[in-house]
Amino acid sequence: MLETNSPDDSSAESPTKEQNLYRYLVLGDSESGKTTLLDYYCSGERPKRSMKKTKGCEIHSKQVLIQTEECSFKKYAEFWDLGGDETYRPYLDIYLREFHNRRDLFKGIIYIFDASVMKTVRSITKHLNELSNIKCQSKSAEKIPLLIIGNKFDKISKRSMSSTILKIKHYLAKLFEDQHIMCTFLSVKEPYSQFKELNKFIEDTILGNVQNHFLFDSQFPLEYTKKIQKYAGEKIGIIKEDVKRFTYNLTRKAFYLYTFVTASFFCESKNA
């Protein structure tokens, strides 16, 4: 069981030993809400202002208390939040190389996308391939746990939320050829209890219980075949059609209501 403490907790201390520090590489497109979500998760408080775009790498840290049957101990989770803006992408190579050179410190990769913007789902291929293709002195042959987070899911219309989430999960399952690829949906507007899956991911990776998580091989690029591309296009096209249909029906109802009110007003004026 994992309990979390805010970095501002008086009982928290800065990590001084590398063996108590566990890093997580956080990837995703610009404006996917990575920084805002991580700030909420690490501080325990909803951000009161909008965050600026991350230009390089922003580091978020959190003290975690892990309890097992035998004992309990404190560790530190450090999230390397890489900016997704294309303008600054060339400057991120240093952090990607550090990931490979110090794989002993990194326990997982977290990809965050905007659940209301479908192209950010497909961008996972680009970000993971950049990580795989980076040139560095050494690359670990050990696979690393991957967690996928759909952020801002509150922006999806309630009418199409279930179908949209299902289609995203089907797309990821086909892309990774794994029906059990973990994808959780979060929002800064939701209660803090929503982070259960993220807490579980951190606890499992620290304890080494990764058998139930998808393990990504960062040595090799992720294949984005024409079959997957066609599937993605079809599914995302269906989602767009759902939105268009919903908008059309809403507009039609508004027009009928306007016509009815106008006609009623005209009849009343004529009778008067």
Side-chain angles (χ1 to χ4, degrees):
M1 178 178 153
L2 178 145
E3 295 180 5
T4 57
N5 292 22
S6 165
D8 297 328
D9 192 322
S10 58
S11 64
E13 298 176 359
S14 299
T16 56
K17 298 181 179 180
E18 286 192 346
Q19 57 264 34
N20 289 328
L21 178 65
Y22 296 86
R23 290 175 179 166
Y24 297 85
L25 188 67
V26 183
L27 305 173
D29 280 358
S30 178
E31 298 184 356
S32 292
K34 302 188 301 297
T35 304
T36 304
L37 188 68
L38 289 172
D39 184 71
Y40 179 23
Y41 178 64
C42 292
S43 68
E45 298 180 358
R46 289 190 179 93
K48 296 179 180 178
R49 57 182 179 83
S50 58
M51 299 289 180
K52 294 182 179 179
K53 285 185 179 181
T54 303
K55 295 182 179 180
C57 175
E58 187 165 338
I59 296 177
H60 309 260
S61 60
K62 186 177 189 65
Q63 185 187 78
V64 297
L65 176 65
I66 298 180
Q67 295 181 332
T68 64
E69 294 180 357
E70 294 81 16
C71 62
S72 63
F73 51 90
K74 293 179 181 179
K75 296 293 182 180
Y76 297 89
E78 190 176 82
F79 303 92
W80 283 33
D81 172 19
L82 301 192
D85 195 314
E86 292 297 327
T87 307
Y88 305 102
R89 295 301 298 171
Y91 302 103
L92 299 182
D93 287 2
I94 184 173
Y95 303 107
L96 299 179
R97 289 194 186 94
E98 182 69 8
F99 167 82
H100 286 293
N101 293 332
R102 297 306 310 271
R103 270 285 282 106
D104 56 315
L105 289 180
F106 285 90
K107 293 299 176 182
I109 298 174
I110 300 173
Y111 181 77
I112 301 177
F113 65 91
D114 184 340
S116 66
V117 181
M118 293 303 110
K119 70 175 183 179
T120 65
V121 183
R122 290 176 290 180
S123 290
I124 189 171
T125 307
K126 176 188 70 175
H127 290 283
L128 291 180
N129 282 350
E130 284 180 354
L131 178 63
S132 299
N133 293 327
I134 194 72
K135 294 181 180 179
C136 58
Q137 294 179 350
S138 62
K139 287 188 178 181
S140 173
E142 184 181 359
K143 295 182 180 181
I144 188 167
L146 170 67
L147 174 66
I148 303 174
I149 296 176
N151 192 23
K152 303 182 182 180
F153 82 94
D154 57 290
K155 289 190 174 182
I156 305 174
S157 68
K158 292 183 179 180
R159 178 179 175 274
S160 61
M161 182 174 292
S162 297
S163 60
T164 300
I165 289 176
L166 185 61
K167 288 163 188 172
I168 290 173
K169 287 185 174 182
H170 282 172
Y171 166 67
L172 293 173
K174 278 190 171 288
L175 180 63
F176 290 96
E177 298 181 348
D178 189 328
Q179 294 297 322
H180 303 291
I181 181 76
M182 185 178 290
C183 179
T184 183
F185 291 83
L186 305 174
S187 169
V188 292
K189 295 183 179 180
E190 294 298 310
Y192 194 81
S193 57
Q194 69 177 320
F195 291 113
K196 182 172 66 173
E197 292 291 343
L198 180 53
N199 284 337
K200 178 65 174 172
F201 179 76
I202 293 171
E203 178 183 6
D204 285 348
T205 51
I206 289 178
L207 294 176
N209 300 329
V210 299
Q211 61 273 15
N212 294 324
H213 296 276
F214 178 81
L215 300 178
F216 174 67
D217 190 344
S218 59
Q219 289 191 104
F220 303 101
L222 185 67
E223 293 186 6
Y224 186 58
T225 63
K226 290 183 178 179
K227 182 178 179 181
I228 297 296
Q229 189 174 16
K230 181 181 179 182
Y231 177 86
E234 289 174 351
K235 292 301 180 184
I236 290 170
I238 291 171
I239 294 171
K240 288 181 178 179
E241 286 301 318
D242 287 344
V243 174
K244 287 181 181 178
R245 193 177 299 109
F246 174 75
T247 305
Y248 171 76
N249 291 334
L250 187 65
T251 304
R252 187 175 62 177
K253 289 178 181 178
F255 174 75
Y256 288 155
L257 180 61
Y258 172 78
T259 304
F260 174 76
V261 172
T262 302
S264 299
F265 178 77
F266 178 77
C267 291
E268 289 179 1
S269 299
K270 188 175 181 180
N271 292 334

